[in-house]
Amino acid sequence: MGQKYLWWQRGVIYQIYPRSFQDSNGDGVGDLPGIVERLDYLEWLGVDAVWLSPIYPSPMADFGYDISNYTDVDPLFGTLADFDHLIEEVHRRGMKLLLDFVPNHTSDQHPWFAESRSSRDSSKRNWYIWREPKSDGGEPNNWLSNFGGSAWQFDERTGQYYYHAFLKEQPDLNWRNPEVQDAMLNVLRFWLDRGVDGFRVDVIWHIVKDDQFRNNDPDPNYQPQWAPHRKLLATYNTDRPEVHDIIGRMRAVLDEYDERMMVGEIYLPVERLVTYYGTENSGVNLPFNFQLIETPWHARAIGDAVNRYEALLPAHGWPNWVLGNHDNSRMISRIGKEQARIAAMLLLTLRGTPTLYYGDEIGMHNVPIPPDRVQDPFEKNVPGLGHGRDPERTPMQWNAEPNAGFTSVSAWLPIADDVESTNVVAARKDPNSLLALYRRLIELRRREPALEVGNFVSIPAEGDLLVFRREVANARAFVIALNFGASAAKFSNENLSGKVALSTCLNRENQIIDRAIELRPQEGIIVELRDRMT
Ligand code: GLC
């Protein structure tokens, strides 16, 4: 192959939402020792890296995305010693560990903020974003919080407003202040020195705001079902040009170490997203690509999105794909059970690093949350619009017991009512389960250089079919054909000769393909081509 690929280019990332993976101490909330108990499962599944949503001390206003101390572990999840044990166990299995880094905002309970809000002359006043009220006492400008209402909170004691892109309990740090930069870069070093392999960086496109605090304009395309903050285009409070210098500083810290990386959370149109790759040594290694979450689930729309993304990537930019996470409706609830297998095959055969969200591999769906059990502050602030994120954060379903093998007591969120049939133990017994398919796809991908790092070549197809080839010099090449539709479909191509390496349906492996494939309804097939690439 010639070129050397790094672990995060070849590997598969698995996201754990720690509150919901495994409880080890009977409080109904998952924790670090619980994750250690389940590492054998992840090793069996074949994933290469585990990303943990935040585990730091936090008042949990936004379930850990409001951090009151960046260099410790919340007692709910364990201790630093538990963390050291976890990282040791992850590494012993040849896997990597990514932490969530939340640079945009702290908790309002962080000592930095307590100091900052104490007086206008505080040495940390300028660590956060404080502004004078308008002459009528109103908010400094029209910026909106992503979680509803104004993004400005008036602070009686000092008579100024502070900016919070999310909850008022999550004041935004002032990244234009070099002291903030230095302090936060030291947070990275603290965890890198402890052995973490990289970070998922929370809302990285938010961290710098307009220096003139200009008002945002209304979005003429706003739809009432969207979250209220989307009434305005986030022109001046996100995606500012100066963000790239700061990313460059983060990247320089990572590059002080060996093969560490960052993946950045960025919800932007693809043309903007790809700018976050920066230049070769200054950008985010993997700006999260959420197109499989955002694009309507049709072969043509997905195909167009893939081709556009491939075309827009800079030469040094390594692609990546995501099917689900803790902020979006479960994959299966978005696209339906029948398409879950197509989605798995797509995720694991596209060019680029795939990220799986815990539970998607066994087919967990959104769990309805009764009003008295709602936890998510987003849902509490803007109820009834379907933005609540609890449904996709429910406990991992390990077995058919009442608490799903997750905990011995009542769990912090309800457990799905189909736990008897949808759980890891049952799925491991069934050779036709979605879990079995994920495992075989991961295994095939790891074994075949073309699937792991090969080029992506789009093959024209029509209707509900998506077809592409993966190939790399001196290795077997593959054609992937995915039927997004509910009827059988036929695809012919002069160069399509080989045998079926894997199908989403049973009993097709090794079937000979001679210039045409008959796909069953909702079937996806990986064909190993007869002729190797030279
Ligand atoms: C990111 C996280 C989300 C959190 C928000 C504020 O979008 O993924 O869960 O609520 O940032 O930190």
Side-chain angles (χ1 to χ4, degrees), residues 20-184:
S20 291
F21 204 57
Q22 179 65 53
D23 175 19
S24 75
N25 62 353
D27 62 1
V29 177
D31 46 48
L32 300 186
I35 295 172
V36 173
E37 285 172 26
R38 296 300 188 181
L39 289 178
D40 286 346
Y41 165 73
L42 296 179
E43 188 180 11
W44 170 85
L45 180 59
V47 299
D48 299 87
V50 176
W51 147 36
L52 304 182
S53 283
I55 56 167
Y56 318 100
S58 165
M60 302 289 167
D62 189 21
F63 296 105
Y65 284 96
D66 49 321
I67 296 169
S68 52
N69 177 355
Y70 283 96
T71 53
D72 203 349
V73 172
D74 194 282
L76 193 62
F77 297 126
T79 61
L80 270 178
D82 291 327
F83 176 80
D84 289 341
H85 180 55
L86 168 66
I87 200 162
E88 193 182 306
E89 289 296 317
V90 168
H91 286 162
R92 198 165 63 75
R93 289 167 176 81
M95 296 191 282
K96 307 284 185 183
L97 188 71
L98 307 180
L99 286 185
D100 217 305
F101 178 54
V102 186
N104 181 67
H105 43 267
T106 69
S107 160
D108 64 346
Q109 303 302 308
H110 196 294
W112 295 343
F113 189 68
E115 170 59 43
S116 183
R117 85 189 312 179
S118 66
S119 87
R120 289 192 181 208
D121 312 320
S122 155
S123 60
K124 291 209 163 45
R125 187 65 170 179
N126 197 28
W127 280 46
Y128 292 83
I129 299 172
W130 293 97
R131 303 289 290 171
E132 291 293 345
K134 284 225 282 267
S135 51
D136 64 357
E139 290 94 13
N141 68 19
N142 71 353
W143 295 356
L144 296 174
S145 156
N146 279 40
F147 286 157
S150 168
W152 295 100
Q153 176 67 25
F154 187 67
D155 198 49
E156 294 286 344
R157 188 163 6 165
T158 55
Q160 287 186 320
Y161 284 89
Y162 65 86
Y163 175 72
H164 58 92
F166 295 89
L167 299 174
K168 67 177 180 354
E169 292 83 2
Q170 295 169 294
D172 280 44
L173 282 164
N174 175 15
W175 272 86
R176 291 182 183 271
N177 181 345
E179 286 178 31
V180 169
Q181 296 180 13
D182 292 345
M184 291 300 279

